[in-house]
Amino acid sequence: MMQQLAGQSQGRVAVARRAGRVSRSAKLQICASGSTYGTNFRVTTFGESHGKGVGCVVDGVPPRLPITEEEIQYELDRRKPGQSIITTPRKEEDIAEILSGWADGQTLGSPIAILVRNKDQRSGDYSEMSVAYRPSHADATYDMKYGIRAVAGGGRSSARETIGRVAAGAIAKKLLKVVANTEILAYVNKVRDIGSNVDHATFTMADVESNMVRCPDQDAAQKMIDAINEVRTRGESCGGEVTCVVRRCPVGLGSPVFDKLEAELAKAMLSLPATKGFEIGSGFTGCTMLGSEHNDPFYIDEQGQVRTRSNRSGGVQGGLSNGEDIVIRVGFKPTSTIGIKQETVTREGTATELRARGRHDACVVPRAVPMVESMVALVLADQMLTHFAQCELLPRNKDTVNLDPRAVKQFKELYAYK
């Protein structure tokens, strides 16, 4: 589509030049808002933090996918503000309204629109920020780019935008579960310098949700909570890390070169607010290892499948999923809006100081957990539709390496799968 539009635009410029209406300095201009992700499973989010509402439109969802309003609401409830003393005190019900593309508990194959109405806005808390820029926030860069911005709540730069991602992610999660029994679980593995010890093979959603910081390691969780409370009471903020594990991912998701699976995951993670780092598998630790130490040896399991004895690759090799658990880590910076006086400038370029008001998370990582899961689900759902359309439309030879029964259910008689 973009190539077609670019070609049409170039053609119009060439015609106009020949007619003498355009100077030789004319350049092709393409406007892109950056609010849509995906190729086959496409998600567009909309709305501002203190506007009338936020939400998403999801296109490309296969028809007849069973999903309930409660399943979508469950994920939104995990993300919503006001959950505990360590999150923002803003109170929002975040009730999802499914406007289209769904009926009687199933998707229709048409675009699914979901709306969440904003109710607890306090725009007056942002009066100072209409004049002075919050250090390290998007206030200044939005003004630089657009020449206008939604001051109250940060507009589109607010984490409230992620409501649309989480709602869409609930649908993507269900699609992956139905088709491949794929499970996506994230947890807080670090707050400031406080780490954790979690068994990636056994931890559950119940373990993640067992405490307010969403860390399955209970001893570490309490230390994290104490650390967040300590900075919160001083008007400060802190950062941390979220680890996400994907179990039973279909084999072969991703494409070589520019659309490698880890590249898509990295883009998705770094599109989330406050993210500053991404690792997969061994990450930067692998840079210090020898090849013989880092390589994951292959073996054949009891089902005749090619497996790896270790997983330093993080479930992706050559840009393609290999069937092992996908393990990624995402780093989040401290929240920019803090209650401590800081040096800044006004929109007119005058030096000043700002002590920000408003209701904000002292640490974003506990509420970032469902956001990370949702973005991973959106990437995998999009890649799964792409992979099935190209590589699983026709039957394979029975002797194919790692013939994935999850990906060839439509040929179960040919392959003798039960």
Side-chain angles (χ1 to χ4, degrees), residues 23 70 79 152 188 331 337 384:
S23 70
E70 289 74 20
R79 194 224 72 91
V188 174
T337 310
M384 183 173 69

Side-chain angles (χ1 to χ4, degrees), residues 6-80:
Q8 292 172 351
S9 298
Q10 288 171 335
R12 286 193 292 269
V13 170
V15 170
R17 276 193 180 134
R18 287 195 293 270
R21 297 194 304 269
V22 181
S23 70
R24 290 187 178 274
S25 62
K27 295 181 180 179
L28 173 66
Q29 293 182 347
I30 298 175
C31 296
S33 63
S35 293
T36 299
Y37 178 81
T39 301
N40 294 300
F41 193 103
R42 296 182 299 279
V43 180
T44 300
T45 69
F46 62 84
E48 286 78 38
S49 176
H50 283 216
K52 292 185 177 181
V54 293
C56 64
V57 177
V58 191
D59 201 3
V61 181
R64 304 181 304 282
L65 175 69
I67 188 166
T68 65
E69 292 176 296
E70 289 74 20
E71 287 173 301
I72 296 173
Q73 193 59 53
Y74 173 76
E75 297 294 343
L76 289 175
D77 287 346
R78 297 175 68 210
R79 194 224 72 91
K80 72 181 182 180

Side-chain angles (χ1 to χ4, degrees), residues 110-292:
S110 53
I112 300 172
I114 300 176
L115 172 66
V116 171
R117 300 183 189 275
N118 295 327
K119 296 182 178 180
D120 188 25
Q121 307 100 312
R122 294 183 189 173
S123 299
D125 288 348
Y126 294 82
S127 57
E128 297 95 338
M129 301 168 211
S130 65
V131 178
Y133 296 130
R134 286 171 286 181
S136 288
H137 202 278
D139 297 341
T141 48
Y142 267 52
D143 259 355
M144 293 172 189
K145 180 175 177 66
Y146 299 107
I148 188 173
R149 62 187 167 94
V151 174
R156 288 291 283 169
S157 66
S158 168
R160 194 147 181 79
E161 175 272 333
T162 63
I163 283 177
R165 307 185 195 215
V166 172
I171 300 171
K173 275 188 173 184
K174 187 61 182 287
L175 178 63
L176 290 159
K177 184 73 173 177
V178 168
V179 172
N181 196 29
T182 301
E183 183 180 32
I184 302 170
L185 286 175
Y187 70 93
V188 174
N189 69 282
K190 196 171 188 179
V191 170
R192 299 196 74 185
D193 59 351
I194 302 168
S196 59
N197 185 16
V198 176
D199 186 344
H200 289 173
T202 61
F203 83 97
T204 65
M205 177 70 80
D207 295 329
V208 174
E209 297 296 322
S210 64
N211 56 69
M212 67 181 74
V213 80
R214 292 199 167 100
C215 176
D217 182 340
Q218 299 300 328
D219 292 337
Q222 187 56 56
K223 295 176 182 176
M224 293 176 182
I225 293 170
D226 292 342
I228 296 173
N229 271 325
E230 192 276 327
V231 299
R232 178 183 63 84
T233 55
R234 293 193 285 114
E236 265 285 10
S237 64
C238 63
E241 297 177 10
V242 172
T243 291
C244 187
V245 179
V246 181
R247 298 168 180 159
R248 298 179 295 278
C249 178
V251 174
L253 302 194
S255 299
V257 192
F258 296 115
D259 296 331
K260 292 179 178 179
L261 185 57
E262 63 261 55
E264 292 297 312
L265 288 168
K267 175 182 178 179
M269 294 307 107
L270 295 176
S271 75
L272 286 167
T275 51
K276 284 297 180 184
F278 172 85
E279 288 187 324
I280 183 167
S282 62
F284 285 100
T285 301
C287 301
T288 65
M289 302 172 70
L290 298 174
S292 58

Side-chain angles (χ1 to χ4, degrees), residues 300-307 402-403 417:
I300 303 297
D301 69 8
E302 296 177 354
Q303 286 73 44
Q305 298 288 295
V306 177
R307 300 288 306 279
N402 267 31
L403 197 63
Y417 282 124

